[in-house]
């Protein structure tokens, strides 16, 4: 659905972003925001608490939402899964009528006005990092590098914060403030998003678990 149709559909658009702390929820307009709320809590409580704040004092309700933009990550896997489950529930309750778009936090970060770098980095798993390349306000290319390689090969990158500290020192001025309020609403969101029937956390590599091998303890 073109952005103009989303804006003119008479239905509210909701943005759900639990990729980082605080959780961010918003109602965008074509080039701004009607309202944004944040919640520093865990996604399980924070999403629902934030939704209550978002619709407080409004004449409409969550049932008025006809389109959702879901941030798929990277970020906290649990938070992203809970946010995806919440969006799926909205679609189920609307009998499949809710339109869902999915965007990557790295692409939104690249569209932030404070970003003047060609590359954006974010933590992946222990000792590894995402590097996003490509034009701003677009769906860029994401690659995974060893942490040292990412820092050395892309020294001019801007960075998203993650749950773990990285071994290399990153200057504070190179860390982006990831805030929905800084982007121009649907005009930007629609350029960095793709439609999806089933929202799911961003997971470019499946988690590999060590195979369990039974062993017999030596008797003393």
């Amino acid at each position: 659905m073109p952005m103009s149709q989303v804006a003119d559909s008479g239905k509210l658009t909701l943005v759900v972003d639990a990729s980082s702390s605080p959780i961010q929820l918003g109602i965008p307009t074509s080039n701004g925001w009607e309202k944004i709320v944040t919640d520093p809590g865990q996604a399980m409580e924070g999403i629902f608490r934030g939704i209550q704040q978002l619709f407080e004092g409004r004449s409409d309700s969550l049932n008025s939402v006809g389109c959702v933009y879901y941030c798929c990550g990277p970020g906290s896997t649990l938070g992203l899964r809970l946010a995806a489950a919440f969006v799926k529930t909205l679609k189920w309750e609307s009998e499949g009528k809710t339109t869902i778009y999915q965007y990557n936090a790295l692409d939104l970060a690249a569209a932030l006005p404070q970003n003047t770098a060609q590359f954006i980095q974010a933590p992946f798993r222990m000792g590894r990092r995402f590097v996003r390349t490509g034009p701003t306000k677009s769906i860029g290319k994401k690659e995974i590098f060893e942490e040292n390689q990412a820092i050395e090969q892309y020294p001019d990158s801007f960075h998203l914060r993650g749950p773990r500290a990285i071994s290399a020192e990153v200057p504070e001025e190179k860390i982006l403030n990831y805030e929905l309020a800084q982007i121009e609403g649907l005009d930007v969101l629609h350029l960095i998003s793709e439609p999806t029937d089933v929202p799911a956390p961003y997971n470019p590599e499946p988690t590999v678990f060590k195979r369990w091998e039974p062993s017999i303890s030596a008797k003393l």
Side-chain angles (χ1 to χ4, degrees):
M1 182 185 295
M3 188 272 290
S4 59
Q5 291 184 26
V6 174
D8 297 337
S9 65
K11 291 284 190 176
L12 276 181
T13 298
L14 174 68
V15 178
V16 179
D17 195 320
S19 64
S20 59
S21 182
I23 295 164
Q24 301 181 77
L25 302 163
I27 298 174
T29 62
S30 60
N31 59 2
W33 299 86
E34 284 190 27
K35 188 175 181 180
I36 292 177
V37 300
T38 61
D39 191 290
Q42 298 296 320
M44 179 70 77
E45 300 85 15
I47 291 173
F48 295 99
R49 190 163 49 227
I51 287 293
Q52 289 181 336
Q53 295 177 23
L54 191 65
F55 285 91
E56 186 176 358
R58 294 180 62 93
S59 59
D60 47 24
S61 67
L62 194 58
N63 292 331
S64 303
V65 172
C67 178
V68 180
Y69 283 81
Y70 161 75
C71 180
C72 63
S76 165
T77 302
L78 178 58
L80 295 170
R81 285 177 178 171
L82 290 171
F86 171 73
V87 174
K88 290 175 187 176
T89 301
L90 291 182
K91 183 162 187 175
W92 178 78
E93 291 187 344
S94 72
E95 298 180 342
K97 297 177 182 177
T98 300
T99 304
I100 302 173
Y101 292 91
Q102 188 162 287
Y103 67 90
N104 191 290
L106 288 160
D107 292 324
L108 189 140
L112 293 171
Q114 61 184 291
N115 173 44
T116 57
Q118 187 177 359
F119 312 109
I120 304 291
Q121 294 191 31
F124 182 37
R125 294 175 185 148
M126 185 68 72
R128 305 172 75 196
R129 293 183 72 72
F130 290 110
V131 176
R132 186 243 185 229
T133 58
T136 62
K137 298 182 182 180
S138 69
I139 298 175
K141 180 180 180 181
K142 292 90 178 175
E143 296 180 273
I144 300 169
F145 293 87
E146 295 297 321
E147 184 177 284
N148 291 338
Q149 183 184 8
I151 298 296
E152 293 173 5
Q153 193 166 333
Y154 300 95
D156 298 326
S157 299
F158 271 19
H159 300 258
L160 291 178
R161 297 184 189 275
R164 302 186 186 93
I166 62 175
S167 58
E169 291 187 9
V170 176
E172 189 66 26
E173 62 269 20
K174 291 289 188 179
I175 297 177
L176 291 169
N177 293 319
Y178 185 81
E179 297 177 352
L180 291 179
Q182 296 186 45
I183 71 162
E184 297 171 340
L186 289 169
D187 283 351
V188 172
L189 284 168
H190 207 71
L191 294 174
I192 64 172
S193 302
E194 295 180 302
T196 180
D197 291 326
V198 183
Y202 179 56
N203 186 21
E205 289 185 356
T207 303
V208 178
F209 297 97
K210 184 178 179 181
R211 182 177 180 180
W212 179 75
E213 296 181 0
S215 60
I216 301 174
S217 301
K219 294 182 178 180
L220 298 177

